[in-house]
Amino acid sequence: ELADVPLEITGLSKRYAGSADRYAVRDVAFRVEKGQVLGLLGPNGAGKTTTLRMLMGLITPDAGEIRIFGHAVRPGAPVLSRVGAFVEGAGFLPHLSGRANLELYWRATGRPAGDAHVEEALEIADLGEALDRAVRTYSQGMRQRLAIAQAMLGLPDLLILDEPTNGLDPPQIREMREVMIRYAETGRTVIVSSHLLSEVEQSCSHLVVMDRGRLVQAGPVAEITGAGDSLLVGLAGE
Ligand code: ATP
């Protein structure tokens, strides 16, 4: 039943205006099942961000189809209300607490105060006492965690995280990994991009490997990392 499939994409292609015949994403297809943590892995310029921006309905593909829970995705599609997204550079009001910022965001998007799913999301994000401190006192890592928490508010069925570990130190990367795993344990689905195999292999159940716009490998993480593929050795050494 397609209505139960968090994501299925077929023949997805995108070429930016002005980049002649160079495709940012070329004929990419894969499927994500409920409860998976899918890692989208590839070096800089592989097309990860372009792929995720199409999934989020931020840009329109030139060709191909994206289905989220069976519904075709296009900018403004109602099914996008089931998607939570983290992209770099979320802005917060520095003098308000983390919690106040999230509440403001939640109400601004027209969702009800006192939603039990908001409290559950904050528990999964595990920001601790920092949630009640002003955002201006936060480290870069804490701001990033707050942005992840924002993406998780309301417990979206599909959580999309574009390079959430960028700029984090190893303990913060571990915490991020645990947040993603806890999230998927609720039966929801996570898609996370990274250019480092070492960052995704322990948190992801499945991988899609991209290079220069193309999908080069896809499958359960053990199958891919166990293959001793020279491409992955190259990616891991990025
Ligand atoms: P990174 O890890 O650096 O973000 P990525 O895998 O996310 O890499 P994309 O950002 O999707 O890759 O970029 C894929 C290709 O598309 C690159 O060659 C990039 O230069 C190009 N590209 C990305 N955004 C644009 C844009 N707005 N206009 C033109 N070309 C773009």
Side-chain angles (χ1 to χ4, degrees), residues 200-222:
V200 290
E201 64 182 344
Q202 289 172 66
S203 47
C204 294
S205 57
H206 292 72
L207 288 180
V208 165
V209 185
M210 290 182 71
D211 191 25
R212 280 166 285 182
R214 300 258 187 192
L215 184 154
V216 291
Q217 255 185 312
V221 75

Side-chain angles (χ1 to χ4, degrees), residues 29-31 36-42 196-198 200-201 204-210 215-236:
F30 60 89
R31 181 178 169 137
Q36 288 184 353
V37 181
L38 178 95
L40 187 57
L41 184 67
L196 287 173
L197 175 63
S198 59
V200 290
E201 64 182 344
C204 294
S205 57
H206 292 72
L207 288 180
V208 165
V209 185
M210 290 182 71
L215 184 154
V216 291
Q217 255 185 312
V221 75
E223 252 172 47
I224 291 183
T225 58
D229 192 290
S230 58
L231 171 72
L232 278 174
V233 175
L235 292 174

Side-chain angles (χ1 to χ4, degrees), residues 16-17 19 22-24 42-51 162-163 195:
Y16 288 103
S19 40
R22 233 175 53 79
Y23 281 82
N44 289 339
K48 306 181 296 294
T49 296
T50 301
T51 300
D162 193 7
E163 306 235 19
H195 57 277

Side-chain angles (χ1 to χ4, degrees), residues 67-114:
R67 289 195 172 267
I68 292 181
F69 298 106
H71 298 277
V73 170
R74 59 182 65 84
V79 72
L80 292 171
S81 68
R82 297 178 68 179
V83 177
F86 163 84
V87 293
E88 249 186 326
F92 295 108
L93 296 172
H95 295 285
L96 294 184
S97 69
R99 184 185 291 278
N101 268 280
L102 295 186
E103 282 168 357
L104 204 59
Y105 168 83
W106 191 242
R107 277 187 278 122
T109 56
R111 260 78 66 94

Side-chain angles (χ1 to χ4, degrees), residues 45-201:
K48 306 181 296 294
T49 296
T50 301
T51 300
L52 296 183
R53 287 174 61 81
M54 288 190 278
L55 304 187
M56 297 168 188
L58 296 175
I59 55 174
T60 309
D62 293 334
E65 202 172 65
I66 303 167
R67 289 195 172 267
I68 292 181
F69 298 106
H71 298 277
V73 170
R74 59 182 65 84
V79 72
L80 292 171
S81 68
R82 297 178 68 179
V83 177
F86 163 84
V87 293
E88 249 186 326
F92 295 108
L93 296 172
H95 295 285
L96 294 184
S97 69
R99 184 185 291 278
N101 268 280
L102 295 186
E103 282 168 357
L104 204 59
Y105 168 83
W106 191 242
R107 277 187 278 122
T109 56
R111 260 78 66 94
D115 184 336
H117 279 175
V118 168
E119 280 313 309
E120 200 181 335
L122 293 180
E123 261 168 49
I124 294 172
D126 195 23
L127 291 161
E129 47 82 38
L131 202 52
D132 295 307
R133 286 205 322 256
V135 166
R136 71 180 139 73
T137 67
Y138 282 22
S139 65
Q140 182 52 36
M142 278 302 307
R143 281 170 205 256
Q144 207 141 316
R145 299 262 310 278
L146 188 64
I148 302 290
Q150 181 167 294
M152 298 191 335
L153 290 178
L155 301 174
D157 294 309
L158 178 59
L159 181 66
I160 299 179
L161 309 173
D162 193 7
E163 306 235 19
T165 51
N166 244 0
L168 301 190
D169 60 25
Q172 292 171 327
I173 291 173
R174 259 197 310 282
E175 283 167 13
M176 184 63 69
R177 184 185 305 153
E178 283 158 18
V179 169
M180 291 189 292
I181 291 172
R182 278 200 297 274
Y183 199 81
E185 279 171 355
T186 70
R188 296 177 176 86
T189 309
V190 182
I191 301 179
V192 53
S193 73
S194 176
H195 57 277
L196 287 173
L197 175 63
S198 59
E199 281 184 7
V200 290
E201 64 182 344

